[in-house]
């Protein structure tokens, strides 16, 4: 639900901050006071159109910021969307903001982070439905009609639509996955001969090389030794000579260490405290002898072999050639070879696999048709019930001649499901037909698409009728109704107020109205008015309570007097009685 709305420099609103509660929220005020501007600001922050003309004259920017409590019913979807974009900061609240500059540049933000307007709009559709002369009207999105019908059908115990819908959707997902596999196999089969030759050559070339993991590193080390054999032998001999091949003029390191050892042992015999030092020299002497032995062994294995060097170079060149074709390392080349074997195996058995999958696909198509027909029957039953319920609601809303109908349209498709009469029909992720809501608001006009014929007031009343019928199934937490009282009088206004109040038990409802009979049902009542300050017109909004609210209702009834005050008090009493009913 919407908990807070902050508006700055938007049209004639200089600065405004509103805090909202659950239930029915009413906005009243004179025409032109700025009530619809508040709705415009809401639509903007929900991802609607932002224009430079919305910036208050002389201001550097306009800002609209709205804070929402994330609804439990769609928390999982909203949080998943936020997490996907790295925007999730709080699982309880979310903040949407829109900043507009006079030059036309505007920024959309979610939780303080700049995002695309498309993402803001997508998120806004989970949070608010605006009903009136609005592009944000959910009922104008024909793609949503089938989902609204299904949600209605699922809450009707006599229809039992949920099971066939879930069965159909599950089967469709299985079919779609199988269809993708078949498409790949058929494409592979068409290109099989050429691809089979290529894969066979690649596998043979790699296998002939008998590559081993780590081989290249060993070969590079061996090449280094072979190429530098003379220098290695010379340096090794020099080290051995210094360690163990001294003479009278230049004793070796071992000779010198032997002299040190003899001297220290003499020292230890004279001073036993130095015995450990004498013993330590023995360890050093042994380590030096071990080092000489290792060097002599290394020297003996230094190979002067130009032929072997050529072999190593040739092997490295082969590995380099294979890496250029198949991967950046021997492991990647071997991995490529394994994938090629698998692909070749698939191609060689493609015909068998295709035949097997085609049988499975035929079975899935048959089940799709069966469960799709059952689902269609359930939807037609739901559509009849929905039409009757909505028409009853419209009758109470002063549209007694209005008729509502759900259109079901099937399309031919040569690749579709084959029916018993031999025709083929298209099928979709949600069923065998497309669904659209139609309305005939006046006698003799015939049914037309809902989005194309409804005026602002009619649309609001239609949506109120729909929302009341679908209240339990609708998961959008906040509903905004603008101009819902257009063309209706006080008696119907009371009925509309009752329905809005009833709807607000399941949703937060914000409503702009000029009818006191409707306004009296509000649980929060805001008064919107224009004032002139410092020769500038601004919109002010004030929360009305107690006596102030009674005076506002009286002024909506007529000139303020004892009579209108008494009538306003009676209205409030009527509302208390109506809303106290179980």
């Amino acid at each position: 639900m919407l908990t807070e709305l902050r508006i700055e420099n938007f049209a004639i609103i200089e600065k405004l901050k509103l805090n909202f509660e659950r239930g029915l929220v009413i906005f009243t005020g004179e025409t032109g006071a700025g009530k619809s501007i508040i709705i415009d600001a809401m639509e903007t922050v929900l991802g609607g159109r932002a224009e430079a003309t919305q910036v208050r004259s002389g201001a550097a920017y306009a800002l609209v910021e709205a804070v929402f409590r994330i609804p439990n019913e769609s928390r999982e979807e909203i949080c998943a969307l936020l997490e996907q974009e790295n925007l999730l900061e709080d699982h309880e609240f979310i903040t949407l903001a829109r900043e507009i500059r006079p030059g036309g540049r505007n920024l959309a933000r979610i939780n303080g982070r700049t995002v695309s307007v498309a993402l803001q709009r997508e998120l806004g559709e989970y949070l608010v439905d605006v009903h009136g002369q609005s592009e944000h009207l959910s009922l104008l999105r024909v793609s949503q009609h089938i989902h609204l019908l299904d949600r209605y059908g699922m809450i009707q115990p006599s229809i039992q639509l949920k099971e066939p819908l879930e069965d159909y959707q599950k089967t469709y997902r299985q079919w779609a996955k199988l269809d993708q596999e078949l498409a790949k196999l058929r494409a592979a089969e068409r290109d099989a001969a050429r691809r089979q030759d290529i894969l066979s050559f690649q596998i043979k070339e790699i296998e002939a090389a008998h590559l081993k993991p780590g081989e290249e590193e060993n070969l590079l080390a061996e090449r280094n030794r072979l190429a530098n054999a003379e220098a290695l032998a010379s340096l090794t001999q020099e080290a051995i000579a210094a360690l163990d091949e001294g003479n009278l003029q230049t004793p070796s390191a071992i000779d010198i260490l032997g002299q040190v050892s003899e001297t220290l042992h003499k020292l230890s015999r004279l001073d036993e405290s130095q015995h450990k030092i004498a013993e330590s020299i023995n360890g050093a002497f042994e380590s030096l002898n071990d080092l000489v032995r290792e060097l002599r062994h290394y020297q003996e294995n230094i190979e002067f072999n130009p032929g072997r060097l050529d072999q190593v170079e040739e092997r490295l060149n082969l590995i380099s050639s294979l890496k250029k074709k198949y991967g950046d390392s021997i492991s990647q080349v071997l991995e490529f070879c394994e994938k090629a074997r698998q692909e070749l195996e698939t191609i060689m058995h493609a015909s068998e696999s295709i035949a097997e999958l085609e049988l499975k696909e035929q079975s899935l198509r048959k089940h799709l048709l069966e469960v799709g027909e059952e689902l269609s029957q359930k939807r037609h039953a739901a559509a009849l019930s929905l039409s009757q319920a909505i028409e009853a609601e419209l009758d109470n809303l002063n549209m007694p001649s209005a008729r509502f109908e759900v259109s079901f349209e099937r399309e031919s498709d040569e690749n579709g499901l084959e029916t018993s009469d031999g025709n083929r029909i298209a099928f979709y992720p949600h069923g065998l037909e497309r669904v659209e809501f139609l309305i005939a608001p006046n006698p003799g006009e015939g049914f037309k698409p809902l989005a194309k014929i409804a005026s602002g007031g009619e649309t609001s009343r239609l949506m109120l009728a729909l929302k009341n019928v679908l209240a339990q199934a609708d998961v959008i937490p906040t509903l905004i109704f603008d101009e819902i009282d257009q063309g209706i009088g006080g008696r119907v206004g009371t009925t509309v107020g009752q329905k809005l109040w009833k709807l607000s038990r399941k949703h937060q409802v914000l409503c702009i109205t000029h009818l006191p009979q409707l306004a009296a049902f509000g649980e929060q009542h805001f008064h919107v008015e224009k004032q002139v300050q410092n020769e500038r017109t601004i919109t002010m909004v004030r929360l009305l309570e107690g006596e102030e609210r009674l005076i506002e209702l009286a002024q909506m009834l007529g000139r303020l007097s004892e009579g209108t005050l008494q009538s306003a008090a009676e209205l409030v009493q009527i509302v208390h009685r109506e809303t106290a009913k179980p």
Side-chain angles (χ1 to χ4, degrees):
M1 59 168 274
L2 177 65
T3 62
E4 183 180 311
L5 178 65
R6 185 163 68 91
I7 306 172
E8 292 183 18
N9 302 321
F10 190 93
I12 60 173
I13 297 176
E14 183 179 38
K15 201 165 190 177
L16 183 62
K17 181 180 178 182
L18 301 174
N19 294 304
F20 298 102
E21 298 175 2
R22 297 180 183 277
L24 179 57
V25 181
I26 294 293
F27 289 87
T28 61
E30 297 296 328
T31 300
K35 300 184 298 297
S36 292
I37 294 174
I38 297 173
I39 305 301
D40 292 341
M42 275 298 304
E43 290 190 303
T44 301
V45 83
L46 293 169
R49 184 179 302 170
E51 299 177 354
T53 54
Q54 293 171 324
V55 182
R56 180 173 167 80
S57 178
Y61 64 90
L63 175 67
V64 185
E65 186 174 84
V67 180
F68 297 89
R69 183 185 295 276
I70 300 175
N72 293 330
E73 295 80 2
S74 52
R75 186 185 308 277
E76 184 176 343
E77 294 91 336
I78 291 174
C79 289
L81 183 60
L82 292 173
E83 196 165 16
Q84 180 181 335
E85 302 294 333
N86 198 27
L87 296 168
L88 184 61
E89 294 183 355
D90 189 335
H91 286 76
E92 292 295 325
F93 292 92
I94 182 174
T95 301
L96 272 59
R98 195 78 176 272
E99 183 180 309
I100 311 165
R101 298 283 176 174
R105 182 170 178 265
N106 71 88
L107 296 173
R109 293 191 178 93
I110 296 175
N111 289 336
R113 298 271 301 279
T114 302
V115 299
S116 68
V117 175
L119 178 61
Q120 193 176 60
R121 187 182 304 115
E122 182 180 1
L123 197 59
E125 289 175 358
Y126 284 102
L127 301 169
V128 180
D129 223 346
V130 183
H131 311 299
Q133 295 177 339
S134 163
E135 293 179 358
H136 204 269
L137 182 58
S138 65
L139 204 60
L140 301 185
R141 299 192 292 273
V142 177
S143 62
Q144 297 301 307
H145 291 183
I146 193 169
H147 304 300
L148 287 168
L149 177 63
D150 286 344
R151 288 202 294 270
Y152 175 80
M154 284 189 283
I155 62 174
Q156 304 302 311
S158 61
I159 295 176
Q160 298 180 344
L161 187 145
K162 183 178 181 180
E163 186 175 337
L165 176 61
E166 290 178 347
D167 190 1
Y168 181 91
Q169 290 176 334
K170 178 182 177 181
T171 306
Y172 185 91
R173 289 192 295 270
Q174 292 173 343
W175 170 84
K177 183 178 179 181
L178 186 65
D179 189 58
Q180 288 181 346
E181 292 179 31
L182 272 171
K184 290 179 181 178
L185 285 174
R186 286 166 180 156
E189 189 180 41
R190 287 192 298 269
D191 201 27
R194 182 181 63 85
R195 186 62 179 159
Q196 188 171 343
D197 288 343
I198 293 173
L199 290 170
S200 297
F201 172 80
Q202 291 172 333
I203 294 168
K204 184 177 179 180
E205 184 178 30
I206 296 172
E207 287 180 341
H210 300 292
L211 298 175
K212 298 177 182 177
E215 178 184 5
E216 186 177 21
E217 291 77 6
N218 293 334
L219 287 170
L220 288 170
E222 185 179 359
R223 182 181 66 178
N224 183 60
R225 290 194 302 272
L226 290 168
N228 296 284
E230 187 175 347
L232 292 173
S234 175
L235 291 170
T236 304
Q237 180 55 43
E238 185 178 337
I240 291 172
L243 288 169
D244 195 34
E245 296 180 358
N247 50 49
L248 293 176
Q249 287 76 24
T250 309
S252 68
I254 288 178
D255 292 338
I256 295 172
L257 195 60
Q259 293 173 9
V260 174
S261 176
E262 184 179 350
T263 302
L264 289 176
H265 276 86
K266 290 178 181 179
L267 177 64
S268 68
R269 284 195 293 269
L270 296 174
D271 185 352
E272 289 186 0
S273 66
Q274 300 305 307
H275 179 71
K276 287 186 178 180
I277 294 178
E279 289 298 323
S280 298
I281 201 67
N282 288 337
F285 191 78
E286 288 300 323
S287 295
L288 206 56
N289 278 308
D290 289 342
L291 177 59
V292 171
R293 282 193 295 272
E294 288 179 15
L295 285 172
R296 292 191 186 280
H297 179 72
Y298 175 73
Q299 185 182 45
E300 290 170 1
N301 286 282
I302 294 175
E303 186 177 8
F304 295 89
N305 190 341
R308 175 57 184 165
L309 180 59
D310 291 340
Q311 290 175 355
V312 171
E313 291 284 7
E314 185 178 346
R315 182 67 175 173
L316 286 170
N317 288 336
L318 173 61
I319 293 172
S320 177
S321 174
L322 293 173
K323 283 167 56 180
K324 287 178 182 178
K325 295 179 183 180
Y326 307 119
D328 295 331
S329 65
I330 287 179
S331 61
Q332 289 185 13
V333 173
L334 293 173
E335 184 179 345
F336 179 94
C337 185
E338 181 58 31
K339 288 181 179 178
R341 284 195 201 97
Q342 293 174 3
E343 186 179 350
L344 183 60
E345 183 75 14
T346 300
I347 290 174
M348 293 175 67
H349 294 87
S351 298
E352 299 172 14
S353 299
I354 287 173
E356 183 180 344
L357 291 180
E358 283 177 342
L359 286 174
K360 290 182 180 179
E361 189 200 25
Q362 289 175 10
S363 176
L364 288 174
R365 279 174 168 264
K366 182 179 178 182
H367 187 64
L368 273 174
L369 182 63
E370 291 173 356
V371 72
E373 292 289 5
E374 181 187 357
L375 176 60
S376 183
Q377 291 176 5
K378 301 285 187 183
R379 280 180 173 152
H380 277 78
L384 179 61
S385 174
L386 179 64
S387 297
Q388 292 171 346
I390 289 175
E391 287 175 2
E393 291 280 334
L394 291 173
D395 186 36
N396 288 333
L397 293 171
N398 202 31
M399 296 178 69
S401 301
R403 294 292 175 265
F404 181 88
E405 183 177 88
V406 180
S407 167
F408 293 86
E409 182 181 348
R410 290 190 176 185
E411 297 179 356
S412 298
D413 185 347
E414 60 181 13
N415 296 317
L417 304 178
E418 186 174 2
T419 60
S420 57
D421 57 7
N423 294 322
R424 288 188 175 272
I425 58 171
F427 60 108
Y428 312 100
H430 301 290
L432 305 181
E433 57 265 308
R434 298 188 186 278
V435 169
E436 184 173 5
F437 293 164
L438 305 179
I439 187 75
N442 302 303
E445 291 187 3
F447 287 97
K448 296 179 182 178
L450 179 65
K452 295 183 179 179
I453 57 87
S455 67
E458 287 176 331
T459 301
S460 291
R461 276 179 277 167
L462 284 168
M463 282 307 299
L464 178 56
L466 267 172
K467 290 292 184 181
N468 267 296
V469 173
L470 296 169
Q472 292 181 349
D474 194 354
V475 297
I476 299 176
T478 299
L479 311 177
I480 299 176
F481 289 89
D482 188 13
E483 300 186 16
I484 196 169
D485 52 14
Q486 182 177 320
I488 63 175
R491 182 182 64 82
V492 179
T494 300
T495 302
V496 172
Q498 290 173 329
K499 293 186 180 298
L500 284 172
W501 184 86
K502 180 182 176 183
L503 187 59
S504 69
R505 301 309 91 192
K506 298 287 185 181
H507 305 266
Q508 179 191 47
V509 179
L510 279 64
C511 179
I512 291 176
T513 184
H514 295 279
L515 284 176
Q517 293 85 353
L518 193 161
F521 282 86
E523 292 159 289
Q524 263 190 306
H525 189 151
F526 292 97
H527 177 67
V528 184
E529 63 179 343
K530 282 196 296 189
Q531 294 183 3
V532 178
Q533 294 183 2
N534 299 323
E535 300 183 352
R536 295 289 303 274
T537 301
I538 62 172
T539 291
M540 304 291 290
V541 180
R542 188 172 78 258
L543 178 64
L544 301 180
E545 295 178 316
E547 187 70 20
E548 277 192 319
R549 181 168 184 250
L550 199 63
I551 291 172
E552 172 68 7
L553 291 173
Q555 289 178 328
M556 293 175 73
L557 286 164
R559 181 178 298 177
L560 185 63
S561 65
E562 288 186 11
T564 54
L565 281 170
Q566 178 63 33
S567 296
E570 290 175 358
L571 269 180
V572 172
Q573 290 175 1
I574 291 171
V575 167
H576 283 164
R577 286 198 301 269
E578 291 295 326
T579 55
K581 292 178 181 179

